Amino acid sequence: MTSSSLPSVSWPSAPSSTSDAGFDAGRATARRGFVLLALGVLAVAAVAALAILDTPVEARQGPAQKIFYMHVPAAWTAFVAYVLTGITGAMFLWLGDRRLDLFSEASAEVGVAFNAIVLTTGPIWAKPIWGTWWQWDARLTSTLFLFFLFVGYLSLRAALHDPLEKARYSAVVGILGMLLVPFIHLTVKLFRTIHPQPVVANPDGPTLPPEMLQTLLLGVGAYTLLYLGFVTVRYGVGRMREAREAGHGR
Amino acid sequence: MGAEVPQNSGFMVAGYAVTAVIVLGYAVALVRRARAAMRAPAPHD
């Protein structure tokens, strides 16, 4: 795809007052993000304590099954982060608002962090249950490739210097990455896989005992709050950086 | 009489430890980046 085939959007050199306002807005956003981030970390710690100390041990899998309460919420937030990266990337291509590109960048980076949790906790859980750290089956392999794709997205952004070119190309990669997310969700139904079927998002309703379901849902809430904290701070950093570059570029 | 519950707490501890390292490591790195960006000269300087 060439840059000429994409819609034309402008990336004007910001006047001084605009870059000052952008810097101040970024700083204010990052400060708000600190509060959300602190709340998110505390919420995840609380859910971890609840899972370890108060949620029943699964009889067949033993305590290792409690990794589930970190693994699944991290997967949920990673997928949400990637979908938002793709949506805001598409909106950037449509509207040309650079703030959408900065949000897209922030969400991709946070998604990679959560994806790293999924890819490390998964094998630690798998070893005592499946007897192996890893299987090259559809769910695990596609999740690993999604991680690589978004690491590539961040590398692409780091390699390009022209802001408009960076925003356009990475938006396309982000949209392609987003398209993989529903496919990964369906891998456990489309392929023979060692990975368990969904225990909440399935047509017959949740299949977990109520105490486990409650801890899982609290985990999803806590990780979503943590995502909001991470992405708000990261977006603020992006806005401050961009305002400074615009100011120095005049 | 039911089967014995597997004794694999070490894996649980490892899973939570790895999660804590990634979450706290990224949080600290991000806060440091934000504070460094706040300290850097503003565009009008």
Side-chain angles (χ1 to χ4, degrees), chain A residues 4 9-10 23 44 84 115 118 123 171 201-203 216 229:
Chain A
S4 60
V9 291
S10 61
F23 188 87
V44 169
L84 290 176
N115 205 340
V118 178
N202 66 45
L216 175 66

Side-chain angles (χ1 to χ4, degrees), chain A residues 214-225:
Chain A
Q214 176 190 304
T215 305
L216 175 66
L217 294 178
L218 287 171
V220 169
Y223 269 81
T224 304
L225 184 60

Side-chain angles (χ1 to χ4, degrees), chain A residues 38-248:
Chain A
L39 291 174
V41 169
L42 288 174
V44 169
V47 170
L50 177 70
I52 294 170
L53 301 174
D54 200 45
T55 306
V57 175
E58 208 278 337
R60 282 173 301 171
Q61 297 191 28
Q65 182 271 343
K66 293 189 177 196
I67 292 172
F68 168 77
Y69 304 110
M70 298 288 114
H71 178 81
V72 173
W76 154 256
T77 36
F79 290 163
V80 167
Y82 291 152
V83 167
L84 290 176
T85 299
I87 290 173
T88 49
M91 288 172 68
F92 168 77
L93 292 177
W94 181 30
L95 300 171
D97 186 331
R98 66 189 186 281
R99 289 172 299 183
L100 291 166
D101 172 60
L102 293 175
F103 182 88
S104 200
E105 175 189 41
S107 192
E109 186 180 294
V110 177
V112 166
F114 284 121
N115 205 340
I117 294 175
V118 178
L119 289 170
T120 48
T121 54
I124 294 170
W125 182 14
K127 179 62 178 168
I129 309 304
W130 297 344
T132 180
W133 298 101
W134 186 262
Q135 280 276 321
W136 291 102
D137 85 340
R139 169 61 72 91
L140 278 64
T141 307
S142 56
T143 304
L144 179 65
F145 284 6
L146 188 69
F147 175 77
F148 288 151
L149 192 148
F150 277 94
V151 169
Y153 171 100
L154 296 174
S155 305
L156 177 71
R157 295 192 69 97
L160 294 174
H161 296 292
D162 177 60
L164 181 55
E165 194 175 43
K166 178 190 299 195
R168 281 174 160 179
Y169 288 167
S170 58
V172 173
V173 177
I175 293 166
L176 295 174
M178 173 182 70
L179 296 178
L180 283 177
V181 170
F183 171 77
I184 292 173
H185 178 70
L186 291 173
T187 47
V188 289
K189 298 194 180 298
L190 296 173
F191 300 94
R192 288 179 62 188
T193 170
I194 194 171
H195 193 279
Q197 297 289 315
V199 291
V200 177
N202 66 45
D204 302 327
T207 55
L208 281 176
E211 306 94 326
M212 292 182 173
L213 181 63
Q214 176 190 304
T215 305
L216 175 66
L217 294 178
L218 287 171
V220 169
Y223 269 81
T224 304
L225 184 60
L226 186 63
Y227 166 78
L228 291 174
F230 276 144
V231 85
T232 305
V233 176
R234 182 62 185 80
Y235 173 75
V237 170
R239 286 206 73 179
M240 284 188 280
R241 185 199 60 215
E242 192 212 45
R244 203 165 47 244
E245 286 170 359
H248 293 163

Side-chain angles (χ1 to χ4, degrees), chain A residues 5-37:
Chain A
S5 65
L6 292 166
S8 173
V9 291
S10 61
W11 200 286
S13 176
S16 177
S17 58
T18 306
S19 54
D20 286 352
F23 188 87
D24 292 343
R27 185 163 48 193
T29 302
R31 283 185 175 143
R32 279 195 295 274
F34 288 161
V35 177
L36 280 174
L37 180 52

